[in-house]
Amino acid sequence: MARILITSALPYINGIKHLGNLAGSMLPADIWARFMRAQGHDVLYICATDEHGTPAELAAAAAGQDVRTYCDEQHLIQKKAGEAFGLSFDWFGRSSSDQNRALTQHFCAALEKNGLIEERVDRMIYSIDDGRFLPDRYVEGTCPHCKFEKARGDQCDNCGRLLDPTDLINPYSSVSGSRNLEVRDTRHLYLLQTKVEPQIREWVNSKTDWQPLAKSIANKHLDEGLIDRGITRDLSWGVPVVGADGGPREGMEGKVFYVWFDAPIEYIAATQEWAEANGKTWKDWWRLDEGAEDVRYVQFMGKDNVAFHTVSFPATIIGSGEPWKTVDQLKAFNWLNWYGGKFSTSMKRGVFMDQALELLPADYWRWYLTAYGPEHSDAAFTWEQFQSAINKDLADVLGNFVNRIVKFTESKFDGVVPEGGQAGEVEAKLEADLRAAIAEATEHYEAMEFRKAAASIRAAWVLGNEYLQFAAPWTALKTDRDQAAVGVRTGLNLVALFARLAAPVLTASAPKIAASVNATDLSWPKADEDFLNALPVGHKVEAQGVLFNKIDDAMVAEWAERFGGAEN
């Protein structure tokens, strides 16, 4: 049994997340956590809301609330949305927690002790019309490198270069659109990433099993040359900057840490929150000197978060000089687009997590976003592909198979696993083909290749359908009840097996599928299992009704009108 620590990128506090956010971090992390638990491993899956920074302040003001009240409400909304989607967080914490405050201040002190923190007087953008210094992402303008006209002050989304606001050409406030900006002096703390660049490069180079997307982004930023990063901001909401005595640091009164400094530290702090709430220990998950040597740490995130997780957060961890656990595998995802464009609340383009569940149960979305998600390239959501995937994969291949064999058993074999007959060459070939499909799915899951794993699982379901068509127990029953019994018995065992294969993705449906053959085992099948003889003769079965309703054209037309489609 392995000890596996899983974190997914923290969803930002201001508003419910769209399907692309779900597909690119939280959902695959959940599926992998479930898969590993189903194999018997000790898994700890941690996530949290990212609550600091200007966007939270502005969103709270727009809602007419103080920022703490706003974050309290939004955290609960996001927590409930995650639960409704079946996300199996062991803990869903908050970056505004006392634990994160203490750890963030601790890391700053450790970095400063090692000569990696420096006070500098910055020339920063001040918006006269807004009456405030503008944080990086609230200054927009033209990228000096690629000339993209809507680059943010922290990063250009077009070329991916990390920026400072003063680098931008023709800058303006994204809060108000005002160009009435001036550069003013303000004192801030800088993390001297340039001093730890050799250690970070050595660390990245040691990750020989990282997938190409994450590795290429990390090397791109290293090859461009790291810059020292400001880690404090002129804001009122965030982790306060303190001195050695724990009080306000002289010259830094009223300043807080940059959200991108404290947010990744919340992975550690949220583990502490979990431990304190559940009577557990947390340092044995994060400190190499406290037992974390045997922990495998895996991060899941969208590609736009990779730079901070492969450069900035490692600079904090490595630069502290303390024996903290660093990530072993980083699984990065591309973007899920909406008909080739971006999700947009204001333009009514795309479906967000709460809206999705108004339309269909979570399992429909979980399957589609896994089997057709943005894993190795950007993917475009379309209603037409979604409809086809659900109708073919879930309704026709899986749901129809389960209901067909269970209802036939109820009507012709008294609703029990029948005796009689002996399995033959057809069943032996089926078993061999299934073992190959399960081995493929296992290999793909372990490699975090989710689309490939889904394809292998679907292939196993197809094998079951092909077998049932060939065995045709409803035809055999007319002349040979024993032969029909073999087909029925095999088919019912396939139902139990298919529930187990579906369990990491179809969290609500898999137990219903298993219940149709009165089974409860949802563990991942082992290589040497006799899974075609798992249900004893005489075992009671009971159909659970329609498992997956089909999506018709009228539904697609209605949803396209409401949320946008090809014509939008």
Side-chain angles (χ1 to χ4, degrees), residues 165-232:
T166 53
D167 295 335
L168 295 173
I169 300 168
N170 298 321
Y172 59 90
S173 166
S174 64
V175 177
S176 62
S178 172
R179 295 185 183 274
N180 190 14
L181 311 179
E182 65 182 29
V183 178
R184 292 185 179 181
D185 288 348
T186 180
R187 182 174 292 276
H188 284 290
L189 298 182
Y190 270 70
L191 171 56
L192 305 183
Q193 293 185 149
T194 51
K195 286 192 173 183
V196 291
E197 181 173 347
Q199 295 99 303
I200 295 173
R201 185 179 291 278
E202 180 182 2
W203 175 75
V204 169
N205 288 340
S206 73
K207 305 301 180 181
T208 56
D209 61 342
W210 274 16
Q211 291 164 323
L213 180 59
K215 196 70 174 280
S216 64
I217 293 173
N219 282 324
K220 176 178 182 290
H221 287 283
L222 286 167
D223 292 343
E224 289 173 353
L226 299 190
I227 60 172
D228 298 332
R229 298 289 291 181
I231 61 167
T232 55

Side-chain angles (χ1 to χ4, degrees), residues 307-525:
F308 290 99
H309 286 81
T310 58
V311 175
S312 297
F313 186 41
T316 298
I317 296 292
I318 294 169
S320 74
E322 298 173 338
W324 294 100
K325 176 70 183 175
T326 57
V327 65
D328 295 301
Q329 179 63 273
L330 192 154
K331 174 66 175 181
F333 283 78
N334 287 278
W335 287 325
L336 180 71
N337 295 317
W338 189 262
Y339 284 88
K342 289 187 176 182
F343 284 75
S344 171
T345 305
S346 61
M347 296 177 62
K348 295 184 179 179
R349 286 176 53 83
V351 176
F352 289 67
M353 287 174 65
D354 54 343
Q355 299 167 330
L357 297 180
E358 295 173 8
L359 308 183
L360 292 168
D363 280 356
Y364 292 62
W365 302 102
R366 288 177 63 99
W367 174 257
Y368 175 80
L369 295 174
T370 302
Y372 303 89
E375 192 161 2
H376 293 293
S377 62
D378 291 350
F381 179 98
T382 70
W383 287 118
E384 295 76 16
Q385 186 188 53
F386 179 64
Q387 176 189 29
S388 176
I390 298 307
N391 290 353
K392 291 179 180 178
D393 297 351
L394 298 188
D396 289 345
V397 177
L398 179 58
N400 183 58
F401 174 87
V402 173
N403 281 328
R404 191 179 187 189
I405 189 62
V406 175
K407 286 183 177 180
F408 181 73
T409 305
E410 288 181 323
S411 65
K412 302 299 184 183
F413 288 90
D414 300 321
V416 298
V417 178
E419 62 180 344
Q422 295 291 325
E425 292 182 4
V426 174
E427 287 73 30
K429 183 178 187 309
L430 171 67
E431 181 180 349
D433 290 344
L434 283 169
R435 289 192 188 282
I438 294 168
E440 279 188 359
T442 303
E443 181 180 348
H444 292 322
Y445 264 141
E446 288 176 346
M448 297 170 226
E449 294 284 349
F450 294 94
R451 287 182 62 144
K452 291 180 180 178
S456 297
I457 292 165
R458 185 172 51 234
W461 299 341
V462 169
L463 287 170
N465 279 271
E466 291 173 345
Y467 169 78
L468 206 58
Q469 285 298 106
F470 181 86
W474 38 87
T475 301
L477 185 61
K478 298 174 183 177
T479 58
D480 189 339
R481 186 176 179 84
D482 281 351
Q483 182 182 346
V486 172
V488 169
R489 195 163 58 243
T490 303
L492 294 174
N493 277 283
L494 287 175
V495 171
L497 175 65
F498 291 173
R500 296 167 68 186
L501 294 177
V505 181
L506 305 178
T507 60
S509 305
K512 288 181 65 177
I513 294 169
S516 68
V517 291
N518 196 23
T520 57
D521 182 11
L522 292 177
S523 65
W524 190 256

Side-chain angles (χ1 to χ4, degrees), residues 210-289:
W210 274 16
Q211 291 164 323
L213 180 59
K215 196 70 174 280
S216 64
I217 293 173
N219 282 324
K220 176 178 182 290
H221 287 283
L222 286 167
D223 292 343
E224 289 173 353
L226 299 190
I227 60 172
D228 298 332
R229 298 289 291 181
I231 61 167
T232 55
R233 293 293 184 267
D234 292 287
L235 298 171
S236 58
W237 173 242
V239 175
V241 179
V242 297
D245 61 355
R249 182 178 180 129
E250 185 177 353
M252 295 279 164
E253 295 84 0
K255 297 182 190 291
V256 300
F257 285 101
Y258 179 32
V259 63
W260 260 112
F261 182 72
D262 79 79
I265 295 171
E266 170 60 12
Y267 296 138
I268 306 173
T271 309
Q272 185 179 358
E273 295 167 41
W274 161 80
E276 292 174 357
N278 291 282
K280 305 285 188 179
T281 58
W282 66 273
K283 289 186 178 179
D284 55 331
W285 288 95
W286 280 102
R287 295 275 301 200
L288 301 178
D289 57 344

Side-chain angles (χ1 to χ4, degrees), residues 12-81:
Y12 199 70
I13 195 67
N14 63 337
I16 201 78
K17 303 300 111 178
H18 61 65
L19 294 181
N21 298 127
L22 181 66
S25 59
M26 294 180 286
L27 178 57
D30 171 69
I31 291 169
W32 202 67
R34 288 178 178 276
F35 168 73
M36 286 299 176
R37 291 188 192 110
Q39 288 193 309
H41 297 303
D42 184 11
V43 173
L44 182 61
Y45 177 21
I46 295 293
C47 195
T49 39
D50 178 4
E51 300 187 9
H52 292 141
T54 302
E57 289 187 349
L58 295 178
Q65 296 176 307
D66 68 88
V67 67
R68 168 60 74 177
T69 300
Y70 173 81
C71 289
D72 289 346
E73 290 184 2
Q74 292 298 315
H75 172 78
L76 288 177
I77 289 171
Q78 294 205 31
K79 185 173 186 290
K80 289 177 181 177

